[in-house]
């Protein structure tokens, strides 16, 4: 899990470096406390985020007020570092920049890890469904070819169709297993939403 969080944090930083965080007009009219609070509530890594603001505002020769910004950031972080916020972040497939203080990090991560598990299983299920649909489409195309195929081509086409049908059977079997796991996680999510401050009754999240 630590490796996953490190990778998510690195990806988060690369994204921030890819674009201006504020327009020129926003730099001129900036209320740095409000901006900081918004950044904290979104869970941005503070040093990278503030540095990105400073770089954006260089274009109009404005230096952000780091002290005021950080006061707002800390206020926003209080809203971000909650178990339900962590759940929503994990469900969205977003990363975590390791910004929550120790007293709130454990609750946030319980939600985050559960939401990430749900998201991962749903993504896996969807990928299987897409694979199944793709093979189904290929079978339809091969069946059309089979009607007009020459005798020497028919055996190869039939073998390919049989292989695809076997693959689809395997996908459906694996999909049932993933759906069972997803159903259990969905139940845990519903329980967690009603009891965000309590430990999950089943271990492992």
């Amino acid at each position: 899990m630590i490796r996953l969080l490190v990778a998510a944090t690195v990806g988060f930083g690369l994204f921030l470096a890819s674009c201006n965080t504020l327009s020129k007009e926003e730099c001129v009219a900036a209320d740095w406390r409000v901006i900081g609070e918004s950044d904290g509530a979104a869970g941005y890594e503070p040093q990278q985020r503030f540095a990105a603001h400073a770089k954006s505002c260089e274009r109009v020769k404005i230096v952000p007020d780091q002290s005021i910004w950080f006061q707002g950031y800390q206020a926003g972080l209080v809203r971000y570092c909650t178990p339900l916020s962590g759940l929503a972040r994990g469900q969205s497939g977003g990363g975590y920049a390791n910004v929550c203080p120790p007293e709130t990090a454990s609750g946030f991560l319980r939600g985050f890890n559960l939401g990430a598990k749900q998201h991962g299983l749903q993504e896996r299920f969807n990928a299987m469904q897409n694979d199944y649909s793709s093979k189904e489409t290929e079978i339809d195309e091969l069946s059309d070819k089979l009607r007009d195929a020459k005798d020497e081509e028919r055996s190869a086409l039939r073998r390919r169709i049989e292989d695809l049908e076997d693959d689809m059977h395997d996908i459906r079997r694996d999909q049932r297993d993933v759906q069972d796991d997803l159903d259990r996680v969905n139940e845990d999510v519903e329980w967690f939403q009603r009891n965000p401050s309590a430990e999950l009754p089943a271990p492992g999240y």
Side-chain angles (χ1 to χ4, degrees), residues 94-106:
Y96 171 52
N98 201 29
V99 295
C100 296
E103 61 269 21
T104 56
S106 60

Side-chain angles (χ1 to χ4, degrees), residues 2-13 94-97 112:
I2 291 175
R3 290 181 180 177
L4 290 176
L5 292 179
V6 169
T9 302
V10 170
F12 206 62
Y96 171 52
F112 178 81

